[in-house]
Amino acid sequence: MPLLKVCGLTKKFYGITAVNNVSFAVNTGEIVGLIGPNGSGKTTLFNCITRMLIADQGRVLFNGEDISNFKPAQIAQKGLARSFHFIRVFIDLTVRENILVAAQHHQQDNDLEQIFRTKNSRLLDQEILIKADKIINFIGLQGLTNEKAGNLSYGQRKLLSFSMAIIFHPKLVLLDEPAAAVNPTMIKRIGEYIRTLNQQGITFIIVEHNMEFIMGLADRIIALDQGSIIADGLPRDVQHDYRVQEAYFGV
Amino acid sequence: MEIFLQYLIAGITNGATYALVALGLTLLVGVARLVNFAHGDFFMLGGYLLVFLFVDKEIPYLLSIVITLIVMLILGLLFERIVVHPTINKTWREQLVATLATSIILSNVAILFWGTTPRLAPTKLSLTILRLGPITISSHRFVVFFVAVISFIALSFFTKNTKIGKAMRAASQNRDACLIYGINVNFVSLVTVTISTMMSGLAGVIITPLYNVSPTVGSVMTLKALTSVVMGGLGNTTGAIISAFILGIVEALFSGYVSSQYQDVASFVIMILILVFRPHGMFGKKVGI
Amino acid sequence: MKAIKENKYSIFLIIGVLLLVSILPLLVNLPFVLHVLISTLMYIGFALSYDIVTGQIGAVSLAHASFFGLGAYVTALIGKAIGAPFWLNIIIATILSIGLAIVMSLPAFRLSDLSFSFATLGLALTVQLVVKNWVKITRGPMCIHNVSNSSLWFNGILEISRTNLIAYFYLFLMVDIVIIILYRLISTGRLGRTLTAVRNDEVLASSVGINIQRYKRLTFFISAGIAGAIGSLWAPYISVVCPDYLSMDYTLNLLAIVFIGGSGSLLGVVGGSILLTVWPELLRVTPAFRLIIYGLFLLIFVTSIPNGVKGIISNVNKRLKIN
Ligand SMILES: Nc1ncnc2c1ncn2[C@@H]1O[C@H](COP(=O)(O)OP(=O)(O)O)[C@@H](O)[C@H]1O
Ligand SMILES: [Mg+2]
């Protein structure tokens, strides 16, 4: 059984078909690269899978379960995480709090326990705190742990939002251009980190324009053009596919 | 049947009133993306200026209208500079609080000057009652209707045939479009807000002779106008006007046949239902993900 | 509107100050001074309850006065029917206010942002119209006069007379301390982070698994319950209950307190309540004049001074530290 199965997903905006009858499946343990020129519908596809946008047609199965009618929060609870193309962070929370808040909704205690700080609740707090600090060290933001996310630079926000997507040990992570506007050293580290997490069993779908990065990382590439899948296969094959060449360079 | 027609006429006049107030608001919402909670308070000020000029100072009605419009022009400019301009790039929360603050100031200034008892401003026309068979109509209702139609035509002409009007229309489609017309965005905002304010004030001057004016009429008008605007689709002028008439008629019928005390409840219920059943609420919320 | 990070010790500061204030009545036993103190305490609790929903989770409700008014009316009516002790009144008022909040939330929380505010405004006006016109029960614009005194037990046993201002002072003080602690528990820790996250970005919040609706409802209900409790305490103290207890003017007062003081901040809201309650009482200005001044300050703050007075103070602090 594939981890994610997308069947006939279609999304139109006032006559523009942003995603056109897209079907594919992703197996557990894969790293799939999603490429395509600007405006080809990659972000919209992510939005439809996570139900931030409601698709006009099609179904999405996650882990065998039909999530087409779920709310975004439920989908996240099921273990499907994502990052955003236009980077989003919680500007009034500190770096550490951003990561904590991303992790804490996967804890098993209720609001009353949280309000009255029961022992169980405090233990859980400790647990995620340790995890959060670990990841902050990893992405190299330890100097900014208590800085408001609103004061971070674009690149720093990007790293933060990457950590927020992976902190709660999701089964599948959708990353929307994680390497854009990040410095080369950090790109390398992100790549290595993705690979490490992948070895721990986390599956990735990654939208990326940085070909070197994505071709090196992905086991498989799906190429979109004008909302439709035009190629799906090994990185080498897709890169040399004439339709992909045409879509990118108009050859 | 006569009773029904009588209610219907009252409803159409209500509708014309709401349409006049909504016309300015839909412009503001469309062009500046600003929901102005003080919009109805300019209506109220228009009404009080009429009471002051026409009743207290005995200045002729037409001249009172002209003077009121000039005052509204100045108020509109001030409102844009002091309230709209500083908040236009802030979140909806700041805009809400800023326009609510304006509404608090205006309605309480009215209380300080004129007290809380409603004031009347009957004109010769509003006291002239026409009889059409069994139905009686105050002739002033025709004035209201006439002004509503003229305002609508004037506004369409302005936005379609002048350079600044075209820029306003473009801006309602796309915020950066003014640049294409080579017109300063600030200027577009200034003109839009001022026209909107003047139209609300004009509505107040035209309608007050039929009813009365009190400091609280402002917030009620804001709600009715906002309801029409939301019902018609944000920034859609024709839609807002049709909705205003529907709202006016439904209210009049409700008030006549069901309960006059709860007339306003009828419109609030309509408003809430529309908000809920229009997907994504007021702005058809575009999520910029 | 950015919330300010709360100093860890602000709650001790505030409770310390309140304890200091608590010996005031023993020193100056003037009815006027006591009345100002009691009003201030009332507004502190009322404004904190408002800030839970408006400042913390960022849903600007315009219906908060409805709950206060409901609490006041319920208490006045119970007083006429049976003499219930004040704590039972509070419990009933709280439950009914939460009930009203649940009804309001059905349409209102299907909306977000401005539409939510707009819908709550319509709902608040509807509730007020009902209270005004339901003359048989509420006596409408004639108001309910001579609300029974608060008492500690049934049938007026251990009654707190309205002339016993000191007793009312301590009653409000105790309730305020409870509210402050509750506010603190809600606005910090995991729940506090969640609320800030929802206020900052609903889309991102839902992408990390936060059930936005649930937290909006939670805060709305808690804040409505507290407002009902405050109304229930206020009615016997002030002895008259009128339809304008449910009017926008009360909500606008709160809006001014919260946004001028500093929304989302304990110190800001408490400071705002003190600032905005004491001077109008001292200068004995008319409500209209007071609201004009509030409106002007609101405008100034919202257009040019983010974070309210609290923000100014923390900026000054920062500068002093740097230099
Ligand atoms: N919210 C929206 N409203 C209208 N059109 C949209 C919206 N989001 C995306 N589109 C359109 O859908 C198409 C695909 O966009 P997108 O998914 O962002 O592409 P990509 O991420 O591949 O660059 C584009 O033509 C874009 O203009
Ligand atoms: Mg994209």
Side-chain angles (χ1 to χ4, degrees), chain A residues 52 72-73 76-77 84 88-92 97 100-101 104-107 109 111 114-115 117 121 124-125, chain C residues 2-3 5 185 188-191 193-194 196-197 199-201 203-210 214-215 218:
Chain A
M52 303 270 163
Q77 301 272 5
F84 293 87
R88 291 167 168 245
V89 290
F90 300 116
I91 53 172
D92 290 337
E97 288 170 333
L100 292 177
V101 91
Q104 70 196 24
H105 290 274
H106 302 269
Q107 307 276 0
D109 57 343
D111 299 331
Q114 286 181 35
I115 292 181
R117 315 285 199 274
S121 177
L124 290 172
D125 276 344
Chain C
K2 287 183 198 165
K5 189 170 164 62
L185 288 173
T188 55
R190 249 193 285 165
L191 190 56
R193 287 197 290 269
T194 306
T196 308
R199 181 184 72 228
N200 276 179
D201 190 335
V203 172
L204 179 59
S206 61
S207 88
V208 296
I210 298 177
R214 183 164 138 223
Y215 288 99
L218 182 74

